[in-house]
Every structure is written in C-alpha cells, then in structure tokens.
Amino acid sequence: MTQSPSTGTEASTGGTPSTSGRTGGNNTPARLADDTGQGKTTIASGVVQKIAGIAARDVSGVYSMGGGVSRAFGAIRERIPGGTGTSQAAGVQVEVGEKQAAIDLDIVVEYGAGIVELARAVRRNVIAAVEQMTGLEVIEVNIAVNDIHMPGDDNNDDDQTPSQPSTRVE
C-alpha cells in the first residue's frame, strides 16, 4: 500500500508498525484510537489486554491463561479473602499504537483439544472482539501454548499441598 507522504503515516513507516520495542504493554497509559473534529478517544492498553484475555478464555478448549509464574500468583490471589481473583489480563501482552494493536497470548490447553484448530479459533475470537470494541486494527495475535491441562489435575493439586503431609502408616 503506497500513499503520498502528505496523506498519512503509513508511507513514512512502510505500512508496518514497529514491534521491536514490545515490552508487554503499558509504556504509555493511553493511545489515540479515534480523532474527530469533536474530540479524541483514547483507549488504555490495559483495556485491550482485558478484552483479548476475555475473548481468548471464551473459546472452548482454553483451560487458562498465563505461564507457570502468573498462574501461580493467580491461584494465590484466588485464595486471599477479598482478593480480586484471576486477572483478565494474565497471560496477555499488548502493544497498542494509534490505529493498530499486536497481541501476545500465553495459554494452557485442555487435553484432547486440537491445538492448531484451537489457536485459529482463539485468534479469530480475539481479533473480532478487539476490533469490534476498540476500532483498532489487530495486525497479529501470537499464541504460545505453555501447558496442557489433564483431567483430574485439579484434584491432584489439592491433595499435594504442603500443609497435608502424606502418611505411610497410621
């Protein structure tokens, strides 16, 4: 796509955003998403993170979001009385520009789900949700599958807590 330098910023950047500075998110609290004669609309990158996280979790076959460390902190947060529970932005990193967004997701897949098909469904759902709700063009959704959740893993985790030592004899 070629444009004359006087018609927009795509000609000066070659039509592609810079992704080399991605650090996971919130360098600038809000970015320009809409500029009209009646005012500007800005959308914080945290908003895009939440939308993407909720949209990814909505796909059947996604067990949870985040890597091992973020899931561990999420489990601790869930057990604290009055805590906020799981964060909708766990496992989601975004880079938000003036008109475009790039999203990175870390997911845990349920055992038996086809990972390639699941990734396609997650990508479609996240792109549709972010573009519909924010008006930003999603240029890429990178998905990293970090783990597979096995049926019964939840029961085994509760039985292996350090506060309940296993005894061999009574």
Side-chain angles (χ1 to χ4, degrees), residues 4 10 15 21 27-28 36 39 47 51 58 60 65 79 83 88 107 127 138 149-150 155 158 167:
S4 66
E10 287 185 11
N27 292 342
T28 307
T36 67
V47 171
I51 293 168
D58 282 347
S60 178
M65 303 284 297
R79 292 183 176 152
Q88 297 300 327
I107 66 173
I127 290 170
V138 178
H149 178 260
M150 301 294 290
N155 295 337
D158 291 340
T167 58

Side-chain angles (χ1 to χ4, degrees), residues 52-99:
I54 292 168
R57 283 179 185 82
D58 282 347
V59 177
S60 178
V62 174
Y63 177 74
S64 67
M65 303 284 297
V69 174
S70 67
R71 286 196 329 259
F73 282 122
I76 292 169
R77 254 194 325 265
E78 286 177 356
R79 292 183 176 152
I80 296 173
T84 60
T86 58
S87 169
Q88 297 300 327
V92 182
Q93 297 83 36
V94 300
E95 181 179 345
V96 180
E98 290 185 10
K99 297 181 182 187

Side-chain angles (χ1 to χ4, degrees), residues 1-150:
M1 171 186 269
T2 58
Q3 292 182 345
S4 66
S6 62
T7 61
T9 58
E10 287 185 11
S12 64
T13 62
T16 58
S18 170
T19 57
S20 61
R22 185 174 315 166
T23 59
N26 302 332
N27 292 342
T28 307
R31 299 290 184 150
L32 176 66
D34 186 25
D35 188 3
T36 67
Q38 297 176 331
K40 294 180 183 179
T41 302
T42 55
I43 300 171
S45 59
V47 171
V48 177
Q49 279 183 306
K50 284 186 180 182
I51 293 168
I54 292 168
R57 283 179 185 82
D58 282 347
V59 177
S60 178
V62 174
Y63 177 74
S64 67
M65 303 284 297
V69 174
S70 67
R71 286 196 329 259
F73 282 122
I76 292 169
R77 254 194 325 265
E78 286 177 356
R79 292 183 176 152
I80 296 173
T84 60
T86 58
S87 169
Q88 297 300 327
V92 182
Q93 297 83 36
V94 300
E95 181 179 345
V96 180
E98 290 185 10
K99 297 181 182 187
Q100 297 177 325
I103 301 167
D104 295 328
L105 303 172
D106 295 325
I107 66 173
V108 177
V109 175
E110 292 178 359
Y111 178 78
I115 294 174
V116 174
E117 295 82 18
L118 179 65
R120 286 184 189 135
V122 167
R123 195 171 281 114
R124 276 192 308 267
N125 206 38
V126 168
I127 290 170
V130 171
E131 287 184 348
Q132 188 268 328
M133 293 180 74
T134 66
L136 294 168
E137 176 191 8
V138 178
I139 57 165
E140 66 182 23
V141 177
N142 299 310
I143 300 172
V145 178
N146 291 324
D147 200 359
I148 294 179
H149 178 260
M150 301 294 290

